[in-house]
Amino acid sequence: MVLRSLFIGSALLLIAACSEGKITEVKDDSANVEVDGQLLYTNNCASCHGLDGALGNSGSKDLSQSKFSEQEVLKILKEGKGTMPPFEYLLTTDKEREAVMEFVMSLRKQQKK
């Protein structure tokens, strides 16, 4: 019993010594997280545009033939266009929107092969 008390006391002392000070700031590591643009596209866009971008469901445009610039694609993702709703609430960070935009741009290259 004495040994158990001594062990618990030592453990508490060690924990107290290691936790000296306060944590005043939490670092946001989301900048270092990889974002899978293809997965986001598949989950949010493929139902209308198709996996290859050419489905055309619900009047959606053929992304493999699109001539929009990267900035225009980012704006459309955020604000929507025509029958496409804005995705700023589903793709909540610039990093997510940029990953989807990069995947959308890659659909054009796949069609040219």
Side-chain angles (χ1 to χ4, degrees), residues 25-100:
E25 182 179 326
V26 176
K27 292 184 179 180
D28 182 11
D29 287 334
S30 64
N32 298 325
V33 174
E34 289 281 330
V35 177
D36 187 339
Q38 183 175 2
L39 180 61
L40 288 169
Y41 173 89
T42 299
N43 290 339
N44 295 292
C45 312
S47 62
C48 291
H49 291 286
L51 293 175
D52 64 354
L55 180 61
N57 195 18
S58 302
S60 66
K61 302 299 181 190
D62 183 343
L63 299 179
S64 66
Q65 302 299 317
S66 174
K67 303 290 185 214
F68 287 120
S69 69
E70 291 180 354
Q71 291 304 313
E72 290 170 318
V73 171
L74 287 171
K75 182 178 179 185
I76 292 168
L77 285 170
K78 190 172 183 178
E79 300 174 6
K81 182 174 173 122
T83 59
M84 180 179 151
F87 276 79
E88 68 180 326
Y89 301 109
L90 292 173
L91 304 172
T92 58
T93 66
D94 288 337
K95 194 168 189 174
E96 288 176 335
R97 288 186 287 271
E98 288 172 8
V100 171

